[in-house]
Amino acid sequence: MRRRRFLGAGAATLGAAGAVTAGQLLSGNASASVGPSTATAGPGTAVSGTVFKLGVASGDPLPTAIVLWTRVTPSNPGSSGILPPTVPVSWELASDSGFTKVLKSGTVNASATLGYSVHVDVTGLTAATDYWYRFKALGRTSRTGRTRTAPAAGSSPEKVRIALASCQNYAHGYFTVYQDMVKQKPDLVLFVGDYIYESPAYSYRVRRHEGSGSPVTLAQYRARHEQYGSDPDLQAMRAAAPFVVVYDDHEVEQDWAGDTANDPVAWPRDKFLARRAAAFQAYYEHMPIRTAQKPSGPDVRMYRSLDFGTLARLHVLDTRQYRDDQATTQAGALETGRVIMGDTQRNWLVNSARTSGRRWNLVASQVMMAETDVLAGEGKEWFYDAWDGYQVERNSLLAEFQDVRNPVVLSGDRHRTIVSDLKLDFDDPDSAVVGAEFVGTSISSNGDEDLEAFAAEWAPKLADNPHWKMIDARRGYLLLDISSGGIDAQLRTISTVSTRTGTTGVAATFRVEDGVPGVHQVGVETTATATEPTGSESPTSPSTSTSPASDESTEPSATPTPTDAATTTEAPSATEPVTDVTATP
């Protein structure tokens, strides 16, 4: 490994004062087994397990438009199989799940050139409205998906609910936490990277990756996406709400940077760019994104913004494609001129945030922005793959945040939940706080970790990171309710990803106040709720644990927040989707 790799083992929550918060771990297993949804789309329709086996998805919601996605798949994974060069795919968008009132419809040709993927950019829609959609091809009908448009420009929505997710390693565990996410009914899912992993098949803990090695060709990246896309829990979530996605490193290769591979000797520039082009195309073919995000060879414009009335603007960054190669020393990380965004993207971000006119300026970053000092005691040591490896640009951006209304960064990559204040100068404990950051944990990456090892590694380092409000090593996601008065965030964790019988619950809650930079922890909730197993594991009863009272500003408080009772996950009715062409009705 040429550059970094992050945190060690473990699965505890640590408070900012340095104590391990005992009793905050979820335990117990789920009850009642339930299989993936196979309901038909309506009378007379046939459901195929192969034509639309990757399900449906929607994404990048605008007030009057939404992207609908599916992919027609042959029986041979990663190839064109026996399909003709193009396959006509019809689509319908309705105001109800029974499709009694179809509002928009059309037909597009899914081509072998783009892996028979379909990207339909449906326009002329009503803002802040739920819609249902489905696809038909080769005599089959896809499952039904539900989506929602963004609030109208100039409107003042009461709330926008965002689920922050990242890092779903198929080989490290099951994606069952998506069952809980479906029940929380987010307005959108923000996925900030590592949607697939390029790990070879022999490197696994729970499930084995397809193939025999790491993907490097278009066919191989397609096959890896197909394997991930076949997961029933991921499919159910993609069919339940629109996604906003961006890649990080593992969609291509671990720790790649700009035009430089992790191992530039084995992968010189031209060879690596060919691999990157293949990875980018496969990514586009499997994501609900617009043709504006369609790659041209090894290049793609992924940074973009989405507005939610006057409430929020979401700036989606690309911290991979334009970065300088990672530093290898502290001195290198401090060099002037080193960039992780690049000048063009940085200027776009600063100008967009300053002039957004929105109450909240959300910044989706693939890697952590707040400082991580991993050297206990005197001195500092950083992870160079994150913003810490680009100190001058990071600090310059944080200075700009002083003139931005309510900047809140939403990140991933770490396989940890780390909630932090963003400070003007991390070297100065008394420096001004200019924003907040939520680093989401992984869906499954790192698997179930060792509690005691994690605590032993990180408790001694908390004093060196006083801007952290919490670090937690469990798998799960963050659920953020954004309103005019503030952002209320829940850390929702699952007890295990090693089986499909994990239990979910609220591990901690946080609050960001309008006009007050920074974030504070509100409380801890330790009641677990059962997820619904999709496999054949034997279910057992869930259990709960409690947490001692603690001070709000340092350790999690004991103020409980009720969690949802376990219910059967209702995936949108099953039928099946199609091709890769953009169409506007």
Side-chain angles (χ1 to χ4, degrees):
M1 190 175 300
R2 181 167 61 91
R3 294 188 275 265
R4 56 105 211 188
R5 200 48 333 195
F6 191 58
L7 309 173
T13 296
L14 306 182
V20 179
T21 306
Q24 199 169 329
L25 302 175
L26 304 183
S27 60
N29 293 319
S31 58
S33 176
V34 60
S37 172
T38 56
T40 59
T45 61
V47 178
S48 167
T50 56
V51 174
F52 294 109
K53 71 177 182 180
L54 301 183
V56 302
S58 66
D60 278 15
L62 302 178
T64 61
I66 195 76
V67 177
L68 306 181
W69 172 92
T70 190
R71 184 177 167 213
V72 175
T73 56
S75 58
N76 184 11
S79 75
S80 61
I82 59 173
L83 296 178
T86 61
V87 175
V89 180
S90 63
W91 58 272
E92 297 175 319
L93 183 135
S95 59
D96 66 299
S97 60
F99 289 84
T100 60
K101 187 176 181 180
V102 175
L103 304 175
K104 303 277 186 177
S105 63
T107 300
V108 295
N109 284 322
S111 69
T113 304
L114 289 173
Y116 298 102
S117 61
V118 175
H119 298 80
V120 182
D121 196 349
V122 186
T123 61
L125 303 179
T126 303
T129 300
D130 290 339
Y131 293 98
W132 286 260
Y133 62 95
R134 65 188 180 189
F135 300 86
K136 297 179 181 180
L138 302 175
R140 301 292 179 174
T141 301
S142 74
R143 72 186 301 161
T144 294
R146 171 200 167 272
T147 191
R148 183 173 177 81
T149 50
S155 68
S156 301
E158 180 179 343
K159 182 180 73 173
V160 172
R161 170 167 278 197
I162 296 177
L164 175 64
S166 65
C167 303
Q168 52 187 24
N169 192 316
Y170 185 91
H172 285 183
Y174 295 102
F175 300 164
T176 41
V177 76
Y178 280 124
Q179 295 179 23
D180 178 77
M181 192 184 291
V182 168
K183 289 187 288 184
Q184 304 312 314
K185 298 181 179 179
D187 294 309
L188 67 93
V189 178
L190 175 60
F191 200 100
V192 292
D194 294 344
Y195 189 91
I196 65 165
Y197 277 72
E198 86 294 9
S199 311
Y202 59 78
S203 176
Y204 71 99
R205 302 182 189 182
V206 177
R207 299 187 286 186
R208 189 181 180 92
H209 275 135
E210 54 73 40
S212 58
S214 296
V216 297
T217 67
L218 176 57
Q220 290 168 341
Y221 279 113
R222 281 174 176 168
R224 187 60 55 91
H225 275 281
E226 287 176 22
Q227 182 180 44
Y228 278 62
S230 299
D231 182 273
D233 297 315
L234 177 58
Q235 277 198 22
M237 189 65 248
R238 279 169 55 108
F243 272 56
V244 175
V245 300
V246 66
Y247 52 72
D248 189 25
D249 55 340
H250 288 287
E251 288 87 350
V252 181
E253 179 209 35
Q254 178 177 293
D255 290 351
W256 67 276
D259 295 348
T260 305
N262 189 308
D263 184 351
V265 175
W267 289 89
R269 182 180 183 275
D270 289 348
K271 183 180 178 183
F272 172 70
L273 288 181
R275 181 181 183 182
R276 195 174 86 181
F280 280 2
Q281 178 170 332
Y283 185 81
Y284 173 77
E285 290 173 354
H286 292 84
M287 295 298 142
I289 48 183
R290 288 188 165 82
T291 53
Q293 279 67 60
K294 181 180 177 181
S296 176
D299 302 312
V300 62
R301 166 73 181 265
M302 284 300 291
Y303 66 87
R304 60 203 190 276
S305 66
L306 298 158
D307 288 334
F308 301 88
T310 61
L311 185 61
R313 173 169 290 177
L314 172 62
H315 307 82
V316 181
L317 300 186
D318 178 350
T319 60
R320 283 289 160 192
Q321 192 176 182
Y322 312 107
R323 66 161 64 190
D324 289 320
D325 195 11
Q326 286 89 332
T328 57
T329 64
Q330 300 293 96
L334 291 163
E335 287 178 358
T336 300
R338 290 182 51 75
V339 297
I340 190 171
M341 287 187 294
D343 292 342
T344 301
Q345 183 178 196
R346 179 185 178 279
N347 292 338
W348 162 81
L349 172 61
V350 170
N351 292 334
S352 178
R354 278 181 169 177
T355 62
S356 74
R358 272 66 183 178
R359 188 175 298 269
W360 298 95
N361 282 281
L362 310 176
V363 179
S365 170
Q366 292 68 65
V367 293
M368 185 171 174
M369 187 174 290
E371 182 177 81
T372 298
D373 181 3
V374 297
L375 182 63
E378 291 296 320
K380 288 181 182 288
E381 186 174 329
W382 302 309
F383 291 103
Y384 302 125
D385 190 62
W387 286 80
D388 277 339
Y390 304 83
Q391 293 271 323
V392 174
E393 187 181 34
R394 191 268 309 278
N395 295 343
S396 174
L397 179 62
L398 293 178
E400 298 282 5
F401 277 3
Q402 295 178 102
D403 297 322
V404 172
R405 184 173 186 180
N406 291 331
V408 176
V409 178
L410 307 175
S411 308
D413 181 63
R414 285 292 172 87
H415 310 165
R416 302 287 185 268
T417 303
I418 305 177
V419 180
S420 306
D421 287 341
L422 293 173
K423 298 179 72 68
L424 191 60
D425 182 359
F426 289 107
D427 289 333
D428 180 5
D430 297 323
S431 177
V433 175
V434 297
E437 180 176 30
F438 292 92
V439 178
T441 184
S442 68
I443 295 295
S444 65
S445 300
N446 275 29
D448 297 334
E449 298 191 59
D450 185 280
L451 169 63
E452 293 184 359
F454 172 77
E457 179 182 3
W458 285 97
K461 300 170 184 176
L462 293 178
D464 298 281
N465 296 279
H467 49 285
W468 288 4
K469 303 306 172 73
M470 190 195 72
I471 178 171
D472 186 286
R474 285 168 286 182
R475 309 284 70 85
Y477 67 100
L478 283 161
L479 188 67
L480 300 99
D481 287 314
I482 302 162
S483 64
S484 59
I487 296 178
D488 291 298
Q490 302 175 33
L491 167 58
R492 302 187 67 87
T493 59
I494 189 164
S495 60
T496 181
V497 294
S498 295
T499 69
R500 290 190 175 99
T501 57
T503 58
T504 59
V506 180
T509 55
F510 305 88
R511 174 80 176 179
V512 181
E513 298 287 350
D514 175 34
V516 182
V519 56
H520 62 273
Q521 186 163 334
V522 175
V524 176
E525 170 59 54
T526 57
T527 302
T529 61
T531 60
E532 309 296 343
T534 54
S536 59
E537 289 88 345
S538 299
T540 57
S541 300
S543 64
T544 62
S545 58
T546 58
S547 174
S550 55
D551 183 75
E552 177 182 280
S553 64
T554 55
E555 297 179 31
S557 74
T559 305
T561 303
T563 58
D564 296 330
T567 58
T568 300
T569 300
E570 294 290 343
S573 57
T575 38
E576 304 192 350
V578 217
T579 57
D580 186 330
V581 173
T582 299
T584 301

